[in-house]
Amino acid sequence: APAAATCRADDMPSCKALEEDSINRDERVIERQALGLEGDEPAGGDARGTVEVTRLVVDDVPRMDSPLGWTCLPQQFDDGMVCDCDCGIWDPDCDAGLTEVSAVRSPGTDELTLIDREHAETVLNVLDGDGNANGVIDSIELTHLQRFGVSALFGVAERIVRAQAAGNNEGGRERLGNFARMPAAEAPASCGGLLEREGLLPSSLAEYTPMCVRDAHFATLVEQPTGRCALQPRMAVGSQ
């Protein structure tokens, strides 16, 4: 595995994950070899100069059996019960109940902010649905923002276009610049802490749902999508 010291800055998380996985594999080999000594007796019954191993205790390495790229406890991965998020690579437990979200990556912090689902889908249906239907606002679609007049939807369309430009309009499947459409699942257990953060709108203006976003665009790890916590807002009627 590549040493973290020789990695490019943008590859550092993957290099660290590969390095940790290499260490974990070595630990498993050592443990198997050590446990194989228990109960061994001197060959040929000659006990001179030998020691019989009657009991072995190995160090507890909590993450030794972790899948490559998984940063939480190994027993949490694909346990069939909880969608665990912000644990490195995507947890298969999050595959149930997937839905599409519209996400904006914040420059500098790399944080994901989700756009009200109904607003984003309406904007994309009007602009992109009548255009090339690639999940972003581009090409001639950029000249049609005035269709929304002075409205909340015009503000949403502008926000998407600004995010695209802020990310140098770097493209991908349903991604342009710092805007992308990605799958996500509700994850109240692992992402519910976001509801305690400062700066959220009051409940009279918006309701928030903790989501785990399957990010294959902005933050991959060992060439796999990561699971990232974010809040899905649902704006109240007349709040904008």
Side-chain angles (χ1 to χ4, degrees):
T6 63
C7 271
R8 299 196 316 267
D10 57 342
D11 285 339
M12 189 63 71
S14 289
C15 287
K16 287 183 176 179
L18 288 166
E19 195 167 52
E20 181 176 325
D21 183 67
S22 178
I23 293 170
N24 286 341
R25 283 187 279 110
D26 289 343
E27 287 281 357
R28 290 195 292 269
V29 171
I30 292 170
E31 183 171 303
R32 285 196 299 269
Q33 291 173 340
L35 292 175
L37 295 174
E38 188 170 357
D40 278 4
E41 296 182 2
D46 185 357
R48 290 176 297 177
T50 63
V51 175
E52 180 182 351
V53 180
T54 59
R55 182 172 180 268
L56 274 173
V57 178
V58 296
D59 291 337
D60 182 23
V61 184
R63 294 179 17 81
M64 182 176 66
D65 295 320
S66 292
L68 174 61
W70 183 253
T71 60
C72 292
L73 294 175
Q75 59 267 30
Q76 292 177 264
F77 182 78
D78 197 14
D79 62 6
M81 295 184 293
V82 177
C83 168
D84 291 293
C85 204
D86 280 345
C87 287
I89 60 172
W90 177 255
D91 183 3
D93 291 316
C94 302
D95 284 337
L98 283 178
T99 185
E100 283 275 308
V101 297
S102 296
V104 171
R105 177 177 62 175
S106 301
T109 66
D110 216 33
E111 181 180 346
L112 291 181
T113 302
L114 305 186
I115 301 174
D116 177 285
R117 180 177 288 114
E118 184 177 344
H119 290 177
E121 289 181 354
T122 299
V123 166
L124 290 172
N125 283 339
V126 170
L127 297 179
D128 186 51
D130 289 343
N132 53 24
N134 62 351
V136 297
I137 303 173
D138 61 358
S139 188
I140 196 172
E141 299 161 4
L142 293 167
T143 66
H144 296 162
L145 269 64
Q146 68 275 10
R147 291 183 181 181
F148 299 113
V150 180
S151 66
L153 294 179
F154 178 80
V156 170
E158 274 200 320
R159 184 181 178 190
I160 292 172
V161 172
R162 285 197 304 269
Q164 294 176 166
N168 298 318
N169 289 308
E170 183 178 343
R173 185 177 181 273
E174 292 193 300
R175 180 256 174 118
L176 191 60
N178 285 341
F179 172 78
R181 296 271 294 166
M182 295 184 284
E186 293 190 16
S190 56
C191 300
L194 292 181
L195 294 171
E196 306 300 322
R197 72 192 315 176
E198 296 181 356
L200 298 182
L201 295 172
S203 57
S204 59
L205 297 180
E207 295 179 355
Y208 294 93
T209 302
M211 305 291 290
C212 187
V213 181
R214 189 178 189 270
D215 189 352
H217 293 299
F218 304 126
T220 59
L221 191 60
V222 291
E223 300 183 349
Q224 295 188 60
T226 56
R228 304 182 63 191
C229 286
L231 291 177
Q232 175 67 72
R234 183 170 183 240
M235 307 303 295
V237 175
S239 62
Q240 292 183 308

